[in-house]
Amino acid sequence: MSKQTNMTTGNPVKLLLSFAIPLMLGTIFQQSFIIVDRIIVGHLIGANAFASVGATGSISMVFTSLCLGIAIGAGIVIAQFYGAGDEAGTASAIRNGSIISILSTLIVSVIALVVTKPILILLNTPVSLLEDAAKYMLISLGGLVIVILYYIPFSILRSLGDAKTPIIFLAVCSILNIVFDLVFVLLFHTGVEGTAVASLLAQGIAGILCFAYAVKKYSYFEKALKEAVFDKVIAKQILKVCIPMGFQYSLIYLSSSILQWVINGFGTSIIGAFTATSQIENLIQQPFTALGTAIATYTGQNIGAGKMDRIKQGLFAALKICAIYSLVLLFVFWGFGKIVMNIFVSDMDIIENAVKGIRITSTFFMALGVSQILRYLLNGTGDSVYSMANGILEIVCRLVFVFALTNISFIGQWGIWWTTAFTWLCTAIFSLWRYKSGKWKQEAKK
């Protein structure tokens, strides 16, 4: 039986849940192996190594998210062709989207390698962390094409409505990553650079296996390899969606890099605390991302099928789930925050600061959820104006809030976490306004 899900008919709530739940499990599993990676660094290498890796996170994601955003944008066009029942168009979109994603990643990777160390210095990375941070980034960004080759088949399968198959290969990747981490750190004593190599190896193996499976299982992939040719019209359609989306995601992390510059000025303890809270936030927001991905696929397919009225129903269902989940998280982090943070490091200063930080941001998780869900929905319509505007808004918010709040004496370092919280709130309000304006419907009809 085919694992593809046609989301143009049936109950929106059931469709979204059946698609999102496996995706949630997969993405949580994926984030879990990233957390294990950080635990290995924090406990087996040391607090400085943990902070070094944390200092690279937002900067690396400026480049990585640009490439992932392009791949996600290509996936939206694939979903639209699939929703319209156009098999040849779907295969052509897979081929063209993959080519565009790979070429873009190669260009971005070369640029990243040139500017890595100057950026770390510019962002005031402490001297004690600079060497390890630079090594970790150079390996990670040098292998960026491996990351995108890992992500492409996952993104395409989700665009076709298959949220279950990627979980298998995410599990493979996660297990391999942990094994490779332990081998490099405990046996080869390679330090933080070993964990970077371990992640690339795991993703490379999982990506190859997933692609081989997809070609064998789905005719769209086979046609994309054998029959589809480069199509200027489809390539232009993909570029129209994916370039603004890539820059949107990149701008979001560029704003985080500016925030990191401020964080670095507060020293190793605050860098470590922010790294810990960021890792937790990345994990807990995966259900929001899964719902968003489900909404993007749902939206793309229904636009392709000409069923615009179904989109609102899906959005309301996703927001209800988001509200319940946010309340559960609020209870967990206000009640058991210290237990959670103790998982990462044993340094009490880092733990105490991280607990206070997560209590601030957890109060705004509902805003994060709304922002994520609407971002994916509007991106799923091909609303390129929103993509760019939202990215610009996020960078402006982080700039204004971080410099204003951290310079208020009674807020100080806690302004870092308040900046994240208020940025989520502002982007959620903007996304709601854009959705209510109905302008995305005009973009979807083009």
Side-chain angles (χ1 to χ4, degrees):
M1 182 180 292
S2 175
K3 296 179 182 178
Q4 295 167 226
T5 302
N6 188 324
M7 306 180 87
T8 62
T9 59
N11 186 297
V13 175
K14 292 181 180 178
L15 287 169
L16 288 173
L17 286 175
S18 66
F19 188 90
I21 289 174
L23 194 56
M24 285 181 199
L25 296 175
T27 50
I28 287 173
F29 201 90
Q30 183 182 32
Q31 285 298 316
S32 296
F33 91 70
I34 295 174
I35 287 177
V36 170
D37 181 88
R38 297 298 183 265
I39 291 169
I40 290 171
V41 171
H43 286 282
L44 297 183
I45 304 178
N48 268 13
F50 181 79
S52 295
V53 174
T56 70
S58 58
I59 310 164
S60 295
M61 285 305 296
V62 170
F63 301 103
T64 304
S65 60
L66 177 59
C67 302
L68 295 182
I70 290 171
I72 291 169
I76 288 169
V77 176
I78 293 166
Q80 291 175 356
F81 277 106
Y82 175 73
D86 185 346
E87 185 171 350
T90 302
S92 185
I94 290 173
R95 183 182 182 88
N96 287 273
S98 298
I99 291 171
I100 290 168
S101 296
I102 293 168
L103 291 177
S104 301
T105 301
L106 289 171
I107 294 169
V108 170
S109 185
V110 170
I111 295 171
L113 289 174
V114 173
V115 302
T116 286
K117 194 160 186 178
I119 289 177
L120 285 171
I121 294 171
L122 182 65
L123 293 180
N124 198 30
T125 305
V127 175
S128 59
L129 308 181
L130 183 60
E131 184 178 352
D132 279 346
K135 288 178 182 177
Y136 190 87
M137 272 190 70
L138 286 169
I139 294 170
S140 298
L141 296 176
L144 195 54
V145 71
I146 296 174
V147 176
I148 206 67
L149 287 172
Y150 160 81
Y151 189 80
I152 285 172
F154 287 25
S155 178
I156 294 170
L157 287 173
R158 289 167 183 167
S159 299
L160 300 177
D162 182 356
K164 296 177 182 178
T165 297
I167 294 177
I168 299 170
F169 297 100
L170 283 171
V172 170
C173 182
S174 302
I175 294 167
L176 286 175
N177 191 85
I178 293 168
V179 172
F180 290 151
D181 267 346
L182 293 172
V183 168
F184 279 104
V185 173
L186 293 178
L187 294 183
F188 299 151
H189 307 290
T190 53
V192 295
E193 58 266 42
T195 62
V197 173
S199 295
L200 290 175
L201 281 175
Q203 290 178 88
I205 293 170
I208 291 169
L209 293 173
C210 184
F211 184 77
Y213 173 86
V215 171
K216 183 178 179 180
K217 191 75 175 179
Y218 295 104
S219 61
Y220 298 106
F221 281 85
E222 189 175 358
K223 285 180 180 295
L225 284 174
K226 294 181 178 180
E227 299 176 20
V229 295
F230 186 76
D231 188 311
K232 290 183 180 179
V233 175
I234 291 179
K236 184 178 179 181
Q237 186 177 348
I238 291 171
L239 288 169
K240 181 183 175 183
V241 175
C242 73
I243 290 178
M245 192 171 298
F247 277 107
Q248 175 195 13
Y249 286 102
S250 188
L251 284 171
I252 288 169
Y253 284 101
L254 179 60
S255 66
S256 296
S257 297
I258 295 168
L259 180 62
Q260 187 70 53
W261 176 69
V262 177
I263 294 165
N264 290 344
F266 285 102
T268 301
S269 179
I270 294 300
I271 294 172
F274 189 77
T275 299
T277 58
S278 295
Q279 289 302 316
I280 290 295
E281 287 162 7
N282 286 338
L283 176 63
I284 61 90
Q285 71 176 294
Q286 294 313 307
F288 294 142
T289 303
L291 278 171
T293 304
I295 281 288
T297 300
Y298 176 94
T299 301
Q301 288 191 14
N302 279 286
I303 286 173
K307 298 182 177 181
M308 302 287 288
D309 57 318
R310 287 175 54 81
I311 295 172
K312 185 177 181 180
Q313 300 170 33
L315 174 61
F316 285 167
L319 291 178
K320 288 177 185 177
I321 298 167
C322 173
I324 295 169
Y325 178 60
S326 299
L327 288 173
V328 172
L329 291 175
L330 188 64
F331 170 77
V332 169
F333 289 113
W334 276 82
F336 307 99
K338 191 169 184 178
I339 295 173
V340 174
M341 294 307 164
N342 195 52
I343 294 171
F344 287 93
V345 285
S346 53
D347 187 294
M348 288 309 299
D349 286 339
I350 291 178
I351 291 170
E352 292 296 331
N353 288 326
V355 171
K356 292 177 183 177
I358 201 70
R359 285 180 175 172
I360 293 170
T361 55
S362 63
T363 309
F364 292 79
F365 281 161
M366 181 63 190
L368 171 63
V370 171
S371 176
Q372 286 278 65
I373 290 166
L374 282 168
R375 177 184 299 159
Y376 277 90
L377 185 150
L378 292 168
N379 285 339
T381 67
D383 188 350
S384 56
V385 174
Y386 163 78
S387 296
M388 290 299 293
N390 186 69
I392 292 169
L393 173 65
E394 185 145 346
I395 196 170
V396 169
C397 285
R398 288 192 190 275
L399 276 170
V400 171
F401 288 135
V402 75
F403 288 110
L405 296 174
T406 56
N407 283 294
I408 297 174
S409 58
F410 64 87
I411 297 178
Q413 63 196 30
W414 309 116
I416 294 165
W417 285 275
W418 281 111
T419 292
T420 297
F422 288 156
T423 300
W424 291 344
L425 182 62
C426 289
T427 54
I429 292 170
F430 173 70
S431 299
L432 279 169
W433 170 80
R434 182 66 178 181
Y435 173 79
K436 294 292 289 183
S437 74
K439 292 180 181 179
W440 55 273
K441 294 180 182 178
Q442 300 170 15
E443 292 293 326
K445 292 176 182 178
K446 290 181 180 178

